[in-house]
Short mmCIF file of all heavy atoms in Angstrom, two decimals:
data_model
loop_
_atom_site.label_atom_id
_atom_site.label_comp_id
_atom_site.label_asym_id
_atom_site.label_seq_id
_atom_site.Cartn_x
_atom_site.Cartn_y
_atom_site.Cartn_z
N GLN D 215 54.69 6.98 12.00
CA GLN D 215 55.63 6.97 10.81
C GLN D 215 56.82 6.02 11.14
O GLN D 215 57.31 5.39 10.29
CB GLN D 215 56.05 8.40 10.57
CG GLN D 215 55.05 9.22 9.90
CD GLN D 215 55.54 10.61 9.59
OE1 GLN D 215 56.47 11.19 10.25
NE2 GLN D 215 54.87 11.28 8.62
N GLN D 216 57.24 6.05 12.36
CA GLN D 216 58.34 5.15 12.81
C GLN D 216 58.01 3.68 12.64
O GLN D 216 58.77 2.79 12.30
CB GLN D 216 58.78 5.38 14.23
CG GLN D 216 59.45 6.77 14.41
CD GLN D 216 59.80 7.07 15.87
OE1 GLN D 216 59.61 6.28 16.75
NE2 GLN D 216 60.35 8.19 16.13
N LYS D 217 56.58 3.42 12.81
CA LYS D 217 56.11 2.02 12.72
C LYS D 217 55.79 1.78 11.25
O LYS D 217 55.42 0.67 10.99
CB LYS D 217 54.93 1.82 13.60
CG LYS D 217 55.20 2.03 15.10
CD LYS D 217 53.82 2.04 15.90
CE LYS D 217 53.97 2.24 17.34
NZ LYS D 217 54.45 1.10 18.01
N GLY D 218 55.78 2.78 10.37
CA GLY D 218 55.33 2.52 9.01
C GLY D 218 53.83 2.37 8.84
O GLY D 218 53.42 1.71 7.97
N ARG D 219 53.02 3.06 9.82
CA ARG D 219 51.63 2.86 9.75
C ARG D 219 50.94 4.31 9.43
O ARG D 219 51.48 5.31 9.72
CB ARG D 219 51.10 2.41 11.06
CG ARG D 219 51.68 1.07 11.53
CD ARG D 219 51.20 -0.05 10.59
NE ARG D 219 49.85 -0.34 10.43
CZ ARG D 219 49.17 -1.06 11.44
NH1 ARG D 219 49.80 -1.64 12.40
NH2 ARG D 219 47.85 -1.20 11.21
N ARG D 220 49.71 4.11 8.84
CA ARG D 220 48.91 5.34 8.64
C ARG D 220 47.58 5.19 9.26
O ARG D 220 47.08 4.02 9.41
CB ARG D 220 48.74 5.63 7.10
CG ARG D 220 50.05 5.99 6.39
CD ARG D 220 49.74 6.20 4.86
NE ARG D 220 50.87 6.68 4.15
CZ ARG D 220 51.70 5.82 3.58
NH1 ARG D 220 51.57 4.49 3.64
NH2 ARG D 220 52.74 6.30 2.87
N TYR D 221 46.95 6.31 9.66
CA TYR D 221 45.57 6.17 10.24
C TYR D 221 44.53 6.59 9.18
O TYR D 221 44.80 7.37 8.28
CB TYR D 221 45.41 6.95 11.42
CG TYR D 221 45.40 8.50 11.30
CD1 TYR D 221 44.26 9.22 11.09
CD2 TYR D 221 46.61 9.23 11.38
CE1 TYR D 221 44.17 10.58 10.97
CE2 TYR D 221 46.63 10.64 11.32
CZ TYR D 221 45.45 11.19 11.10
OH TYR D 221 45.36 12.61 10.93
N THR D 222 43.37 6.06 9.24
CA THR D 222 42.24 6.35 8.39
C THR D 222 41.25 7.35 8.92
O THR D 222 40.76 8.22 8.21
CB THR D 222 41.44 5.05 7.97
OG1 THR D 222 40.85 4.55 9.16
CG2 THR D 222 42.30 4.09 7.27
N HIS D 223 41.12 7.29 10.28
CA HIS D 223 40.20 8.26 10.89
C HIS D 223 40.50 8.25 12.44
O HIS D 223 41.07 7.31 12.90
CB HIS D 223 38.75 8.02 10.59
CG HIS D 223 38.19 6.70 11.15
ND1 HIS D 223 38.51 5.45 10.50
CD2 HIS D 223 37.30 6.40 12.19
CE1 HIS D 223 37.94 4.45 11.19
NE2 HIS D 223 37.23 5.00 12.15
N ILE D 224 39.92 9.27 13.20
CA ILE D 224 40.10 9.41 14.60
C ILE D 224 38.76 9.41 15.25
O ILE D 224 37.87 10.15 14.78
CB ILE D 224 40.93 10.68 14.86
CG1 ILE D 224 42.24 10.77 14.11
CG2 ILE D 224 41.24 10.75 16.40
CD1 ILE D 224 43.01 12.04 14.14
N THR D 225 38.65 8.87 16.37
CA THR D 225 37.48 9.01 17.21
C THR D 225 37.86 9.34 18.60
O THR D 225 38.99 9.09 19.06
CB THR D 225 36.59 7.65 17.28
OG1 THR D 225 37.45 6.54 17.67
CG2 THR D 225 36.01 7.28 15.90
N LEU D 226 36.99 9.83 19.33
CA LEU D 226 37.19 10.35 20.73
C LEU D 226 36.66 9.21 21.61
O LEU D 226 35.47 8.78 21.45
CB LEU D 226 36.43 11.65 21.02
CG LEU D 226 36.63 12.16 22.47
CD1 LEU D 226 38.01 12.57 22.69
CD2 LEU D 226 35.66 13.41 22.55
N ASP D 227 37.43 8.76 22.62
CA ASP D 227 37.03 7.57 23.45
C ASP D 227 36.41 8.14 24.71
O ASP D 227 37.15 8.72 25.53
CB ASP D 227 38.20 6.77 23.75
CG ASP D 227 37.90 5.48 24.46
OD1 ASP D 227 36.74 5.19 24.75
OD2 ASP D 227 38.86 4.69 24.87
N PHE D 228 35.13 7.80 24.93
CA PHE D 228 34.39 8.25 26.11
C PHE D 228 34.25 7.04 27.13
O PHE D 228 33.80 7.19 28.26
CB PHE D 228 33.12 8.80 25.83
CG PHE D 228 33.08 10.18 25.30
CD1 PHE D 228 32.92 10.46 23.98
CD2 PHE D 228 33.28 11.27 26.18
CE1 PHE D 228 33.04 11.73 23.46
CE2 PHE D 228 33.27 12.59 25.69
CZ PHE D 228 33.19 12.79 24.29
N GLU D 229 34.69 5.85 26.65
CA GLU D 229 34.44 4.66 27.43
C GLU D 229 35.46 4.61 28.61
O GLU D 229 36.60 5.05 28.45
CB GLU D 229 34.54 3.39 26.57
CG GLU D 229 33.36 3.31 25.63
CD GLU D 229 33.45 2.06 24.77
OE1 GLU D 229 34.25 1.10 25.01
OE2 GLU D 229 32.66 1.93 23.87
N ASN D 230 35.07 3.98 29.64
CA ASN D 230 35.99 3.66 30.78
C ASN D 230 36.52 4.93 31.35
O ASN D 230 37.73 4.90 31.88
CB ASN D 230 37.04 2.60 30.44
CG ASN D 230 36.53 1.38 29.94
OD1 ASN D 230 35.62 0.79 30.44
ND2 ASN D 230 37.10 0.87 28.87
N ASN D 231 35.84 6.03 31.26
CA ASN D 231 36.29 7.30 31.80
C ASN D 231 37.54 7.83 31.20
O ASN D 231 38.29 8.56 31.77
CB ASN D 231 36.40 7.20 33.35
CG ASN D 231 36.04 8.54 33.96
OD1 ASN D 231 35.37 9.28 33.52
ND2 ASN D 231 36.63 8.76 35.21
N ALA D 232 37.79 7.44 29.87
CA ALA D 232 39.00 7.86 29.28
C ALA D 232 39.11 9.24 29.00
O ALA D 232 40.18 9.93 28.92
CB ALA D 232 39.26 7.05 27.98
N THR D 233 37.98 9.93 28.74
CA THR D 233 37.86 11.35 28.56
C THR D 233 37.11 11.95 29.73
O THR D 233 35.89 11.69 29.91
CB THR D 233 37.22 11.68 27.21
OG1 THR D 233 37.94 11.18 26.10
CG2 THR D 233 36.95 13.19 27.05
N ARG D 234 37.72 12.84 30.46
CA ARG D 234 37.10 13.25 31.81
C ARG D 234 37.79 14.51 32.37
O ARG D 234 38.99 14.90 31.95
CB ARG D 234 37.23 12.15 32.81
CG ARG D 234 38.74 11.91 33.23
CD ARG D 234 38.88 10.73 34.12
NE ARG D 234 40.23 10.50 34.60
CZ ARG D 234 41.11 9.75 33.95
NH1 ARG D 234 40.78 9.09 32.84
NH2 ARG D 234 42.35 9.57 34.45
N GLU D 235 37.11 15.16 33.36
CA GLU D 235 37.76 16.22 34.13
C GLU D 235 38.22 15.54 35.44
O GLU D 235 37.52 14.72 36.00
CB GLU D 235 36.65 17.24 34.43
CG GLU D 235 37.36 18.39 35.22
CD GLU D 235 36.35 19.61 35.39
OE1 GLU D 235 35.12 19.52 34.93
OE2 GLU D 235 36.58 20.53 36.12
N ASN D 236 39.43 15.86 35.71
CA ASN D 236 40.16 15.22 36.91
C ASN D 236 39.85 15.99 38.17
O ASN D 236 39.39 17.23 38.13
CB ASN D 236 41.66 15.11 36.71
CG ASN D 236 42.01 14.18 35.52
OD1 ASN D 236 41.33 13.09 35.46
ND2 ASN D 236 42.83 14.59 34.73
N GLU D 237 40.05 15.32 39.38
CA GLU D 237 39.85 16.12 40.63
C GLU D 237 40.62 17.32 40.78
O GLU D 237 40.27 18.21 41.58
CB GLU D 237 40.05 15.03 41.69
CG GLU D 237 39.01 13.96 41.79
CD GLU D 237 39.32 12.97 42.96
OE1 GLU D 237 40.23 13.25 43.77
OE2 GLU D 237 38.48 12.06 43.22
N ASP D 238 41.83 17.34 40.22
CA ASP D 238 42.75 18.55 40.44
C ASP D 238 42.33 19.63 39.47
O ASP D 238 43.09 20.66 39.39
CB ASP D 238 44.25 18.12 40.22
CG ASP D 238 44.49 17.62 38.84
OD1 ASP D 238 43.61 17.56 37.97
OD2 ASP D 238 45.67 17.24 38.55
N GLY D 239 41.27 19.42 38.66
CA GLY D 239 40.80 20.48 37.77
C GLY D 239 41.35 20.48 36.41
O GLY D 239 40.99 21.15 35.45
N SER D 240 42.23 19.49 36.14
CA SER D 240 42.77 19.20 34.80
C SER D 240 41.76 18.44 34.02
O SER D 240 40.80 17.97 34.53
CB SER D 240 44.13 18.58 34.82
OG SER D 240 43.97 17.29 35.44
N PHE D 241 42.01 18.37 32.68
CA PHE D 241 41.12 17.66 31.79
C PHE D 241 41.88 16.82 30.87
O PHE D 241 42.96 17.24 30.42
CB PHE D 241 40.29 18.75 31.02
CG PHE D 241 39.31 17.90 30.02
CD1 PHE D 241 38.05 17.54 30.51
CD2 PHE D 241 39.69 17.67 28.72
CE1 PHE D 241 37.10 16.94 29.70
CE2 PHE D 241 38.73 17.03 27.82
CZ PHE D 241 37.45 16.72 28.35
N GLN D 242 41.53 15.53 30.76
CA GLN D 242 42.27 14.66 29.76
C GLN D 242 41.26 14.03 28.82
O GLN D 242 40.10 13.80 29.13
CB GLN D 242 43.05 13.70 30.51
CG GLN D 242 42.33 12.63 31.26
CD GLN D 242 43.32 11.70 32.02
OE1 GLN D 242 43.94 12.03 33.02
NE2 GLN D 242 43.52 10.46 31.51
N PHE D 243 41.83 13.83 27.64
CA PHE D 243 40.99 13.10 26.56
C PHE D 243 41.85 12.08 25.87
O PHE D 243 43.07 12.19 25.78
CB PHE D 243 40.45 14.17 25.57
CG PHE D 243 41.38 14.94 24.80
CD1 PHE D 243 41.99 14.41 23.64
CD2 PHE D 243 41.78 16.19 25.21
CE1 PHE D 243 42.84 15.16 22.90
CE2 PHE D 243 42.66 16.96 24.50
CZ PHE D 243 43.26 16.42 23.31
#
Side-chain angles (χ1 to χ4, degrees):
Q215 283 179 340
Q216 292 179 0
K217 299 171 181 283
R219 303 294 299 274
R220 295 182 175 86
Y221 70 90
T222 58
H223 62 287
I224 306 171
T225 55
L226 181 64
D227 186 4
F228 285 101
E229 294 183 7
N230 301 318
N231 212 24
T233 297
R234 66 183 184 273
E235 183 175 357
N236 296 316
E237 290 183 0
D238 63 359
S240 63
F241 181 84
Q242 70 182 70
F243 61 87

